[in-house]
Amino acid sequence: MFPNRCSFQTKPQIALAQLQQAVEDKVPTGVVLADEVYGSNREFREGVADLKLDYSLAVKSTTTVWALEHQPLPPKPWTGKGRQAKRMRRDQTHQPISVEQLARSLPASAWREGSKETLRSRFSALRVRPAYGDDRKAGLQPEQWLLIEWPGAADEPGGYWLASLPIKTSLKRLVGISKHRWVIERDYEELKSELGLAHYEGRSWRGFHHHATLCIAAYGFLIAERSRFSPSAHVGHLGLRAEPIPPHFRPRGAKDSRPTT
């Protein structure tokens, strides 16, 4: 059985509704991360921005932006009659550029190496404005970061992100936040494979949510327990709870131990 009045929604619409509910419930906020299914959806990006949440969202290579010398024409001059024009204009020489074309046009000096142990890649970040719809809607869209990953040995860029993080955000932090989605994906894989999130075979809406809730609660417990045994923790400072040894206790076999009845 499904809830009453349940209608079709796309994945971005469902995710945005969940974010809206979380904001209403005053859940502590962070940076919204998502893959290109969500990041390439303009309505989802604008919805997250309307909630006053920062985001770093993967986007498709075909996403168009205004950047560097690629800028739109200003709105038509006001003639003094009617409403003043606000829509940006385009012509043959004023066209947005796809993020892949932009990545290929950047000089070698624009790329920075980033590594962690055996993982290594190249990144570049610049300020852009998403171009979709600005010739049909009023005004330019807000300026934000475009992060591009292009591994040195690869023939083409490996990923693109649009991020609404502050302009003073360092490249290191921008990469760290954007790549943190990998951790979330690993959590999801563990939930499915290790704790049985993907093993539900029931047919009821309530049963599915009951199963998912228990899996997530169990995973939260296991993560909390795992963090207590962090490799960086000092021996004797793990915070393990145990009853103190009674002062009269003597180990079995000790010389001064007494038999118990």
Side-chain angles (χ1 to χ4, degrees):
M1 295 179 63
F2 292 93
N4 295 331
R5 296 174 295 178
C6 181
S7 58
F8 172 78
Q9 287 181 302
T10 64
K11 287 184 176 181
Q13 289 172 335
I14 294 172
L16 186 57
Q18 291 176 329
L19 290 173
Q20 291 169 340
Q21 186 64 54
V23 170
E24 291 177 7
D25 293 341
K26 294 182 170 50
V27 174
T29 61
V31 179
V32 177
L33 307 177
D35 62 28
E36 63 182 29
V37 172
Y38 304 86
S40 297
N41 186 289
R42 178 174 58 88
E43 289 77 13
F44 179 77
R45 294 199 308 266
E46 292 178 350
V48 175
D50 290 341
L51 293 172
K52 309 300 181 185
L53 297 174
D54 287 329
Y55 62 74
S56 182
L57 307 173
V59 295
K60 297 178 181 179
S61 61
T62 54
T63 301
T64 55
V65 295
W66 298 108
L68 305 178
E69 71 275 9
H70 301 275
Q71 298 296 329
L73 288 167
K76 291 182 178 180
W78 188 45
T79 61
K81 297 180 180 179
R83 303 173 70 177
Q84 190 170 358
K86 295 183 179 180
R87 292 188 299 177
M88 310 308 294
R89 294 179 296 152
R90 305 178 184 182
D91 61 15
Q92 292 184 349
T93 59
H94 293 79
Q95 290 291 327
I97 186 173
S98 74
V99 292
E100 181 178 4
Q101 291 174 313
L102 180 57
R104 294 183 181 278
S105 70
L106 294 176
S109 59
W111 299 95
R112 297 290 183 270
E113 291 282 346
S115 65
K116 184 178 181 181
E117 297 177 355
T118 58
L119 300 178
R120 180 176 293 275
S121 192
R122 293 191 311 162
F123 296 90
S124 184
L126 63 160
R127 303 291 286 178
V128 302
R129 295 181 187 273
Y132 180 80
D134 60 2
D135 57 337
R136 298 185 297 276
K137 298 178 65 177
L140 287 169
Q141 296 190 43
E143 187 179 87
Q144 52 196 280
W145 284 108
L146 170 65
L147 176 66
I148 308 169
E149 179 183 10
W150 193 339
D155 295 330
E156 59 185 20
Y160 310 88
W161 294 262
L162 285 174
S164 62
L165 296 168
I167 191 171
K168 293 185 179 181
T169 303
S170 66
L171 178 61
K172 180 178 180 180
R173 177 164 172 75
L174 187 60
V175 171
I177 289 175
S178 301
K179 282 292 187 176
H180 195 73
R181 200 184 83 239
W182 180 85
V183 178
I184 300 172
E185 291 175 351
R186 289 301 310 155
D187 290 344
Y188 187 52
E189 286 298 321
E190 287 190 357
L191 268 168
K192 292 195 297 183
S193 59
E194 302 295 334
L195 295 176
L197 180 63
H199 299 165
Y200 180 70
E201 297 182 0
R203 295 182 179 275
S204 71
W205 182 269
R206 181 177 182 180
F208 171 73
H209 280 269
H210 184 263
H211 174 78
T213 300
L214 289 178
C215 289
I216 294 171
Y219 190 61
F221 171 78
L222 292 176
I223 291 296
E225 290 296 298
R226 182 189 299 173
S227 66
R228 295 168 63 194
F229 294 89
S230 170
S232 61
H234 296 289
V235 176
H237 295 81
L238 295 176
L240 299 178
R241 298 185 298 273
E243 294 294 330
I245 299 176
H248 61 274
F249 173 79
R250 295 294 182 272
R252 183 184 296 272
K255 291 183 180 180
D256 58 346
S257 63
R258 298 178 180 178
T260 59
T261 59

